[in-house]
Amino acid sequence: MNRLKRQTTSSAMTDHVMEMILHDIQTGTLTPGAWLKQIDLERRYSCGRPEVRRALDRLAQKRLVVHVPNRGYHVYQPDGRQAREVAEIRILLETGVAGHIVANARPADIETLAGLSANFDRLLQIGTTLELYEANLAFHHQLLSLCGNLELVNLVADIRQRTSSAPVQQWTTRDRVEQSSREHAQMIDALVSKDEAQLTEVIARHIRQSSP
């Protein structure tokens, strides 16, 4: 029982440290490209080395920070060219199966998507950036899975990893987050009305983060 309690306490501390690092990245206290010395983070957040290391590993998985073997961790520094090119590749792949998504979407699938969209909207009001980002991923994974091609779904997931999918890079402004929410609803409307052209247009706009 004591061991379980210690593990729970350690996990809670790791989550706390991760949120603190995320906050400092979002506010610019930890700037893009900045190296993160673990001893400095221990002092800054009043925690131990294991919690800092686990927090950095989790953030590296989310592409918030980059782990360089034998050197350490640094805050992710976005590459605008790469992000644009990856977005265009995603548009080609995801709009290319829009017809299959429309044809395969059953009422139960649409209801599932509506629930994921509602969760995104809820987190828009009360959630952390990381939670919002993960809710967005869940919606898009469910939508794309309706194409019926698992290899394509996995390929898109792999391609996303070639550029930052970090929450701090996901949306440029609060208005853009709210627009993403509206676009989720528009995608669902396109499925309900079986409108392939509308779904294609909204997906492309959503990925490019362009205005309607």
Side-chain angles (χ1 to χ4, degrees):
M1 182 64 71
N2 288 337
R3 181 180 179 183
L4 179 60
K5 184 177 180 180
R6 287 196 298 271
Q7 289 176 338
T8 302
T9 301
S10 177
S11 178
M13 176 57 75
T14 298
D15 290 342
H16 174 71
V17 174
M18 185 174 68
E19 286 295 334
M20 293 298 293
I21 296 174
L22 172 59
H23 176 268
D24 285 347
I25 292 173
Q26 290 176 312
T27 58
T29 302
L30 298 173
T31 57
W35 286 94
L36 304 171
K37 294 183 179 179
Q38 295 188 44
I39 190 169
D40 292 341
L41 298 180
E42 291 174 47
R43 293 169 179 167
R44 182 178 184 84
Y45 305 121
S46 301
C47 60
R49 178 65 60 89
E51 287 78 23
V52 168
R53 182 59 185 266
R54 284 194 292 269
L56 289 173
D57 284 342
R58 291 185 190 178
L59 292 171
Q61 291 173 355
K62 301 297 182 184
R63 304 299 295 275
L64 280 162
V65 303
V66 177
H67 180 220
V68 181
N70 302 318
R71 294 195 64 188
Y73 298 82
H74 66 78
V75 179
Y76 179 84
Q77 192 161 19
D79 181 337
R81 174 201 57 79
Q82 185 185 45
R84 288 190 298 272
E85 292 181 357
V86 167
E88 292 304 315
I89 293 171
R90 285 185 56 205
I91 289 169
L92 287 172
L93 292 173
E94 296 183 42
T95 61
V97 294
H100 295 292
I101 293 173
V102 169
N104 294 335
R106 300 167 300 175
D109 299 318
I110 294 173
E111 184 177 351
T112 298
L113 282 169
L116 293 171
S117 178
N119 185 51
F120 182 89
D121 291 345
R122 179 182 65 84
L123 293 172
L124 183 57
Q125 303 302 322
I126 65 171
T128 65
T129 303
L130 198 56
E131 289 173 332
L132 195 63
Y133 165 73
E134 290 174 344
N136 186 61
L137 279 186
F139 177 89
H140 286 283
H141 178 80
Q142 178 64 24
L143 177 70
L144 192 58
S145 69
L146 295 179
C147 76
N149 187 325
L150 181 59
E151 289 303 315
L152 186 141
V153 175
N154 292 335
L155 178 60
V156 170
D158 290 341
I159 289 173
R160 289 181 71 119
Q161 294 303 313
R162 296 187 184 184
T163 188
S164 174
S165 55
V168 292
Q169 303 299 330
Q170 183 74 19
W171 300 285
T172 53
T173 65
R174 174 74 179 189
D175 286 345
R176 195 56 189 79
V177 185
E178 293 173 351
Q179 184 175 324
S180 290
S181 174
R182 292 190 293 272
E183 288 164 351
H184 289 165
Q186 291 166 6
M187 291 177 203
I188 294 172
D189 289 343
L191 294 182
V192 171
S193 61
K194 294 193 175 299
D195 190 335
E196 179 184 345
Q198 179 187 355
L199 181 62
T200 298
E201 187 275 329
V202 177
I203 288 175
R205 173 159 37 92
H206 189 77
I207 293 174
R208 288 195 183 105
Q209 294 205 8
S210 54
S211 300

